[in-house]
Amino acid sequence: GIMPLVGGELARAAFEHGFEAYGIEILEQYYRLISAKGETYLWYFPDGTACSVDTSTSPEASPTDGWGSSAMLWALVEGLAGIVDDGCGFDAVTLAPRWLAAGLSEAEASVCYAASGRGVGYAFRHAGDRLDIEVEADRADVRLHILLPAGRDVRGVHHGTLDVPFRRSVVEASRYADFEAHVDGSAGFTISLQ
């Protein structure tokens, strides 16, 4: 069958290891399954039919148990949106937006912990020969790992008029620009492409 619990883990791994298109394919399949009825299920038969109380092979779990949906949410937040809390309360965070792999040139994402109100967010945009990312965070050390458009390379990274030291990295066939910053409030970065 189709198990969102396993699919979420697989999608997250695909994003992390350079198979972004496969991670997106898994998230899209899950979206189609939950959109059909507006509900999520612990698992589905190969034809997409949801499990039920009568067909469940796991008597201690209900058919609408949240295990699978939580794994898919993890793949969406940490994989596609690329927001990873590396510390405590987003005081150290990795931002690795992979929206370009989904064919999106603009996206906004933010997450926070309800109990503390601490969170992080960004607005991402690709236009022509540049990628722009505006980061919102309170006193956070941010590691940026930015997926580049296919066939493009980095010419430079800038914060306003300041040059930002960066590294290039390759994960399978995917190219990334990597750099770090301390953000307290908001900070904008531009990646010039060649």
Side-chain angles (χ1 to χ4, degrees), residues 52-145:
S52 67
V53 172
D54 296 332
T55 61
S56 179
T57 57
S58 184
E60 67 280 353
S62 71
T64 55
D65 202 303
W67 296 351
S69 53
S70 64
M72 286 293 186
L73 178 61
W74 182 55
L76 176 66
V77 172
E78 291 197 2
L80 181 57
I83 300 174
V84 180
D85 186 353
D86 295 319
C88 180
F90 295 108
D91 62 351
V93 69
T94 296
L95 297 180
R98 296 178 177 97
W99 301 107
L100 293 175
L104 298 172
S105 59
E106 292 185 43
E108 292 183 20
S110 63
V111 294
C112 75
Y113 297 119
S116 68
R118 294 231 354 134
V120 66
Y122 66 80
F124 171 85
R125 183 169 184 253
H126 170 230
D129 289 338
R130 61 189 280 168
L131 297 169
D132 294 300
I133 185 163
E134 182 75 24
V135 179
E136 301 272 341
D138 293 324
R139 298 172 315 280
D141 292 319
V142 181
R143 176 182 164 264
L144 293 105
H145 181 63

Side-chain angles (χ1 to χ4, degrees), residues 15 19-29 80 98 101-103:
F15 285 117
F19 298 96
E20 296 88 357
Y22 185 49
I24 290 164
E25 182 182 318
I26 292 169
L27 289 177
E28 287 176 338
Q29 179 186 29
L80 181 57
R98 296 178 177 97

